[in-house]
Amino acid sequence: MAARLKSNVSKYLLLAAIALVVFLSLRYCSGKTKPSGHPRDYAAIAKEGIIRVATEYNSLSFYVDGDSISGFHYDLIQAFAHDKGLKALITPEMSFTTRLEGLSTGKYDLIAYGILVTSELKDSLLFTSPIVLNRQVLVQRKKTSEQDSMYIRNQLDLAGRKLYVTKGSPAIMRIRNLSNEIGDTIYVEEIDRYGSEQLIAMVAHGDIANVVCDESIALALADSLPQIDITTAISFTQFYSWAVSKQSPALLDSLNTWLDTFQKTKEYQTIYRKYYDKK
């Protein structure tokens, strides 16, 4: 299965990946410094003048737009860095697990990506004040007929089905809870290296049956992939936040203080509307 995913996903993402790698190498290679090997707090970040950030490459959070980079989380972290007199080195990392590993080793100081706050993740991470509201949905192909046996109409239809998620995704815990709620097994297939946007493209092209992901990502692709259905909710609407290491409490305080102020400004409203209120 992994070999098939690797083969098929390349045709959807090759050009975007090449553009991103070339752009980032030209723009950031001169500014990279060696990670410390352990999580840093705000004093060390401020002393160096650089904050290292991991996010995900997709059409909402971080993406190449002509000769520049755009994205909701990209714009937000750049605003934070500017206000604090820092330079932000932002790395798009598709694997959620790899982002967490990078945070624990000091490769990254911050994960600037909407993360569903769960009790499991709270054991190892510190979460900022809420960034956005979001929920998890099932992305599948639209039904071919009213009798389409593969089409999942509601959560009860998930019994005995296999759902695809990115490796380490917080959605896994929700799926486990949902399995208990409906009283039947829901199987989970974790896919490493690829983000939700790539997996949605594979659903649209019939390479995998479905994926569970954040609704905001699914909505961003719905117009360009009209063959997908995103109407089946997996979770309730919840707050999503950024995350830092438990060894970075001062960084968390700095982020929260800044967010509490910045989210009340016209600049924040402009950024939010640019990506979430397009229609």
Side-chain angles (χ1 to χ4, degrees):
M1 181 66 187
R4 183 185 176 193
L5 290 178
K6 183 176 180 180
S7 174
N8 285 317
V9 78
S10 61
K11 63 185 177 184
Y12 312 134
L13 303 171
L14 181 58
L15 293 178
I18 291 173
L20 177 65
V21 169
V22 171
F23 185 91
L24 292 179
S25 63
L26 291 175
R27 184 166 180 174
Y28 295 119
C29 62
S30 62
K32 287 186 178 180
T33 55
K34 187 176 180 181
S36 61
H38 55 80
R40 304 187 301 171
D41 211 347
Y42 188 75
I45 294 168
K47 182 177 180 180
E48 185 184 22
I50 295 173
I51 183 168
R52 302 188 190 96
V53 183
T55 189
E56 180 177 297
Y57 183 80
N58 60 54
S59 57
L60 183 65
S61 299
F62 179 101
Y63 59 91
V64 174
D65 184 14
D67 60 353
S68 63
I69 293 178
S70 297
F72 175 72
H73 295 286
Y74 173 80
D75 288 356
L76 212 55
I77 194 60
Q78 289 289 9
F80 171 77
H82 177 269
D83 289 349
K84 297 297 182 180
L86 301 172
K87 179 178 180 180
L89 293 183
I90 305 175
T91 302
E93 173 54 63
M94 302 313 296
S95 168
F96 182 78
T97 300
T98 303
R99 289 196 290 268
L100 294 180
E101 291 172 351
L103 195 66
S104 68
T105 61
K107 181 178 181 180
Y108 307 124
D109 303 308
L110 166 68
I111 299 177
Y113 178 75
I115 304 174
L116 175 63
V117 180
T118 66
S119 57
E120 184 177 42
L121 288 176
K122 279 184 176 181
D123 289 339
S124 57
L125 300 172
L126 295 175
F127 288 98
T128 65
S129 302
I131 304 292
V132 292
L133 283 168
N134 211 340
R135 65 174 182 171
Q136 294 150 357
V137 297
L138 179 78
V139 179
Q140 61 184 329
R141 289 177 66 85
K142 289 180 178 177
K143 58 186 176 184
T144 57
S145 69
E146 290 301 323
Q147 291 74 41
D148 187 346
S149 61
M150 296 299 295
Y151 183 76
I152 297 171
R153 292 167 174 79
N154 54 55
Q155 294 179 353
L156 292 176
D157 286 344
L158 296 173
R161 300 295 187 100
K162 179 189 289 185
L163 306 184
Y164 292 83
V165 299
T166 56
K167 186 174 181 180
S169 169
I172 296 171
M173 176 172 285
R174 172 56 191 158
I175 294 170
R176 289 172 181 164
N177 291 338
L178 188 55
S179 179
N180 292 329
E181 290 169 16
I182 67 174
D184 209 328
T185 302
I186 303 173
Y187 300 95
V188 175
E189 180 79 16
E190 296 185 62
I191 305 300
D192 199 7
R193 298 180 58 192
Y194 304 130
S196 297
E197 193 163 88
Q198 295 95 318
L199 297 182
I200 291 172
M202 298 185 74
V203 171
H205 290 82
D207 296 315
I208 58 176
N210 58 64
V211 62
V212 175
C213 68
D214 296 339
E215 185 177 42
S216 59
I217 300 298
L219 286 170
L221 295 180
D223 289 341
S224 60
L225 297 173
Q227 61 270 57
I228 64 172
D229 179 292
I230 62 174
T231 59
T232 301
I234 298 298
S235 73
F236 298 107
T237 299
Q238 297 168 282
F239 287 115
Y240 282 56
S241 300
W242 290 348
V244 301
S245 167
K246 284 215 165 186
Q247 298 180 47
S248 307
L251 174 59
L252 180 72
D253 289 343
S254 180
L255 286 163
N256 282 339
T257 299
W258 180 81
L259 283 168
D260 290 345
T261 300
F262 189 72
Q263 286 176 321
K264 299 172 185 175
T265 66
K266 290 183 178 179
E267 184 180 355
Y268 171 79
Q269 293 302 321
T270 298
I271 293 173
Y272 184 88
R273 286 194 298 268
K274 179 180 178 182
Y275 300 102
Y276 284 95
D277 291 337
K278 293 182 179 180
K279 294 184 179 180

